[in-house]
Amino acid sequence: MIIRKMFKFENAHIVRDCSTRRCSENIHGHSYKVEVLLESNYLDHGQMVYDFGLTKLSIKEMIDSFDHAITLWSQDDKGYIEAMKKYSNRWIELPVSPSAEQFSRVIYLMVERILECTHMQNGEREVKLNSVIVHETDTGYAQAFKADAHSELMGKIDLEDIIFSTQIQQEWSDVDIWSKLLKKESIKHPSRV
C-alpha cells in the first residue's frame, strides 16, 4: 500500500546552465509542493502504514527548512554565493543545482535517512520511501525514486554536503537533528503526537 503526504514551501533559486535565460540568469522563486509517498505491505497497530501525524515531525521540519530561503548550488560563482549568504539569513547550499529534479533527489535522500533513523514504536513494519514528487509549478513536477536519488550519473549527492544556514538550524525543534541524521543516530518521536 502507498500513502502520500503533501508539504509546501516558498523558495528562491537560480538554475544555472538551463535553456531558459529567465531561469538561468535571474533569482526567482516558486511555491513548491512536495509529495512524499511511503509504502509498506503491513499496517501498524492503528491499521495505518505510517501515521500522518508522525510526518509532521522530522519530515515536515526538514522540508520546511527550504521555506522562505534561497537555495544555492555549491559550484555557482563564489561571489554570488557569498552575497546571497551575506544578505539572507535563510539559505541552503546543495552539491547539485536546485532544479526541481535535484530537489526531488535531495528531499528523497533526506526523508530516506529520517525513516532509517526513526525508532518505530507502534508496530510500523518495513515502511519505505516509494518516491518524492516536487511540483515547481502547477503544471510541472519531478519525481525521484530510489535509483534516481542514488544515481551518480545525475550528480553525486552526499548528505554531508548539504549545508543549512544558522538561522534555519536554530528554528528546528532539535537544533542537532541534522548532525544526528548524518551520524545515523536513532530519532524517537513522542508516543502521542
Side-chain angles (χ1 to χ4, degrees):
M1 178 174 287
I2 295 176
I3 62 169
R4 164 191 157 294
K5 180 69 175 172
M6 181 162 318
F7 305 91
K8 299 177 182 181
F9 65 87
E10 308 291 328
N11 191 271
H13 67 169
I14 290 181
V15 182
R16 300 291 186 198
D17 302 322
C18 70
S19 301
T20 311
R21 290 182 65 194
R22 284 185 181 185
C23 293
S24 67
E25 298 175 0
N26 299 286
I27 299 171
H28 62 283
H30 298 280
S31 296
Y32 289 92
K33 292 179 186 169
V34 177
E35 296 181 58
V36 173
L37 290 87
L38 303 176
E39 66 177 287
S40 178
N41 292 321
Y42 302 95
L43 299 178
D44 68 8
H45 299 314
Q47 299 185 19
M48 303 175 184
V49 168
Y50 190 79
D51 192 323
F52 285 132
L54 295 176
T55 65
K56 295 177 184 175
L57 303 173
S58 303
I59 294 173
K60 180 184 187 308
E61 196 162 51
M62 292 312 300
I63 292 173
D64 191 59
S65 298
F66 292 92
D67 189 47
H68 285 76
I70 184 161
T71 304
L72 307 165
W73 177 30
S74 62
Q75 300 303 306
D76 207 327
D77 178 82
K78 297 304 174 200
Y80 165 74
I81 293 172
E82 289 171 16
M84 293 302 101
K85 288 180 178 181
K86 179 178 178 181
Y87 293 104
S88 180
N89 289 325
R90 289 186 58 83
W91 54 263
I92 299 161
E93 187 174 322
L94 302 178
V96 291
S97 184
S99 63
E101 291 82 352
Q102 296 293 24
F103 267 132
S104 68
R105 294 179 68 225
V106 165
I107 294 170
Y108 185 101
L109 293 170
M110 291 168 62
V111 173
E112 179 182 58
R113 180 63 59 88
I114 290 167
L115 289 174
E116 289 171 2
C117 294
T118 298
H119 174 70
M120 302 294 181
Q121 54 195 31
N122 195 35
E124 302 93 346
R125 294 189 331 184
E126 298 179 26
V127 177
K128 296 180 184 120
L129 182 56
N130 172 278
S131 61
V132 169
I133 301 172
V134 173
H135 298 259
E136 190 171 83
T137 65
D138 287 340
T139 59
Y141 70 81
Q143 183 171 12
F145 295 89
K146 184 177 186 104
D148 303 317
H150 293 276
S151 171
E152 291 194 24
L153 296 174
M154 294 184 192
K156 186 173 168 73
I157 301 172
D158 285 325
L159 290 177
E160 295 79 12
D161 294 333
I162 299 172
I163 304 168
F164 296 94
S165 70
T166 301
Q167 185 179 80
I168 290 172
Q169 293 178 45
Q170 290 172 341
E171 292 177 1
W172 293 332
S173 58
D174 177 355
V175 295
D176 297 319
I177 186 71
W178 189 240
S179 62
K180 288 177 182 177
L181 290 171
L182 293 179
K183 294 175 191 170
K184 297 184 181 180
E185 292 180 12
S186 181
I187 300 171
K188 284 190 171 190
H189 295 304
S191 57
R192 298 281 179 208
V193 181

